[in-house]
Amino acid sequence: MKTIASVVEHYIKTKPFLLTALSQGIINLTSLARVMMPELEQDLGKDVRQGAVVMALKRLSEELDFRVNHKIIKVVKKLGEITVRSNLSDYTFIISDTILEKQASLLADIKDLSEFFYTSSRGVNETNIVLSSSLESYVEKHFVGERLLQKMDNLASISVKLPHENFGTSGVYYYIFQRLAWEGVVINEVISTTNEFTIIVSEEEVDVAFKVIKDLRHT
């Protein structure tokens, strides 16, 4: 059976930015209730009192403040080393029968060039390679015959070490990426391991992205 509390919670949970703002107590509940009422009444099939919606929002915001924020904030306050690299290029190739062989030959060729940046990821249909732009000639040499879908230049990476508590804590990545989205940062790529993630952004936005992530420690 649907209740006001259940439909209010469903409404909020389907709007991630609204959910976070509510958990932070930065929304006027009366104004929000007024906006929500037409949809809630349609969902419930009956008239709804604005005061009842406000009370449901108040209870939900108190629960969210504990349920959403406290565990996540404990993790982000312990963010470790943040490393920034600039002058990167991002290649996206269609996966082929020879792509792994080409990648292996590239790695063999640059394995002693420790001062350069290199990372890659593989999806179902695409392989992505991000590396220092000065290594462009190596990619052109080893990936002859492969189908290049996209190449982006003038990029930068921000690598972040996460505390071990991030494992098993839901919402950590959402919390970080939401803050970046609020600042209008466009993330070109995300590469992650268990306790580390790297985002690729344009060099124009790297300073803003770095500040957002660094400031999370003082949330």
Side-chain angles (χ1 to χ4, degrees), residues 13 15 47 82 87 96-97 106 120 126 136-137 148 167-169 172 186 191 194 200:
K13 283 184 174 180
K15 298 169 176 59
D47 293 339
I82 303 173
N87 195 30
S96 69
D97 293 337
L106 170 64
S120 67
E126 302 172 358
E136 181 175 327
S137 61
L148 178 66
F167 184 74
T169 302
V172 174
V186 176
I191 302 101
T194 302
I200 308 298

Side-chain angles (χ1 to χ4, degrees), residues 117-152:
F117 180 91
Y118 174 90
T119 187
S120 67
S121 59
R122 180 185 173 100
V124 176
N125 300 302
E126 302 172 358
T127 288
N128 173 259
I129 296 173
V130 182
L131 76 176
S132 298
S133 297
S134 56
L135 298 177
E136 181 175 327
S137 61
Y138 289 86
V139 178
E140 294 177 352
K141 168 187 172 183
H142 291 285
F143 284 79
V144 172
E146 299 298 333
R147 183 180 170 191
L148 178 66
L149 280 183
Q150 179 175 268
K151 177 177 181 282
M152 293 182 287

